[in-house]
Amino acid sequence: MSQSSLDDDELFGEAAEEMRADVEEALDAARAELPDADDVWDVEADNTLGVLNALRSALDVEDVEAHLRDAKKAFVVGERADAFEDADELEAEIDAVEDVLGDIETAREQVGELASTVPALRSALEDAHEGSDGDGDDESDEEAEE
């Protein structure tokens, strides 16, 4: 092997290109795992709880988190090595995916809370209506007779 094929600058350049490719591949994979807008918007179910559960499932982002983590790890190493000419651009792309991920996680938590609250609310409403059956009718009948 010749000395020129092992030049540090050349090797560093190759490593930087590979690192950038790793970041971009992980970002592409993260974007690909984001839920489709239609999967979040168009949900079919027989009742409110079914809609909430379908929506919560559509908002599952475990794979997005894993790919984003890979992108961030490769980016941090490359940035510390000053391997990227456009580190700000890469960081902005990572931040954009991270922002969407944060929005999805927030929505998923809210949907989960609603999915827990709606059955309890239904039961409370049923109990309230059962408690008023007969009691209120007698009084209104007596008032109507007077």
Side-chain angles (χ1 to χ4, degrees):
M1 225 180 233
S2 70
Q3 183 73 18
S4 64
S5 67
L6 295 176
D7 180 38
D8 286 347
D9 289 337
E10 185 178 324
L11 291 173
F12 184 80
E14 286 179 29
E17 288 175 24
E18 290 172 7
M19 212 170 285
R20 180 180 181 78
D22 289 346
V23 172
E24 290 175 346
E25 287 173 20
L27 278 173
D28 289 344
R31 285 186 197 105
E33 292 295 329
L34 288 171
D36 289 330
D38 288 343
D39 291 343
V40 173
W41 191 254
D42 298 328
V43 178
E44 292 184 30
D46 294 333
N47 57 43
T48 302
L49 188 57
V51 168
L52 292 171
N53 285 331
L55 181 56
R56 186 170 44 187
S57 293
L59 296 173
D60 183 19
V61 291
E62 283 184 38
D63 292 336
V64 177
E65 291 172 336
H67 293 300
L68 184 60
R69 182 175 177 80
D70 291 343
K72 289 177 82 170
K73 285 191 298 188
F75 175 77
V76 166
V77 171
E79 185 182 39
R80 287 189 181 163
D82 200 25
F84 306 127
E85 292 177 13
D86 59 346
D88 292 341
E89 184 179 314
L90 275 177
E91 187 172 26
E93 289 182 44
I94 290 170
D95 289 345
V97 172
E98 196 168 34
D99 288 346
V100 171
L101 179 61
D103 291 344
I104 292 169
E105 289 172 335
T106 298
R108 191 166 201 278
E109 288 174 13
Q110 292 171 343
V111 169
E113 289 174 15
L114 276 173
S116 297
T117 303
V118 167
L121 176 60
R122 180 180 182 204
S123 292
L125 290 170
E126 287 174 342
D127 291 347
H129 285 288
E130 286 175 8
S132 69
D133 287 349
D135 292 345
D137 291 341
D138 291 341
E139 290 176 18
S140 58
D141 288 344
E142 290 174 11
E143 290 174 8
E145 291 179 47
E146 292 176 9

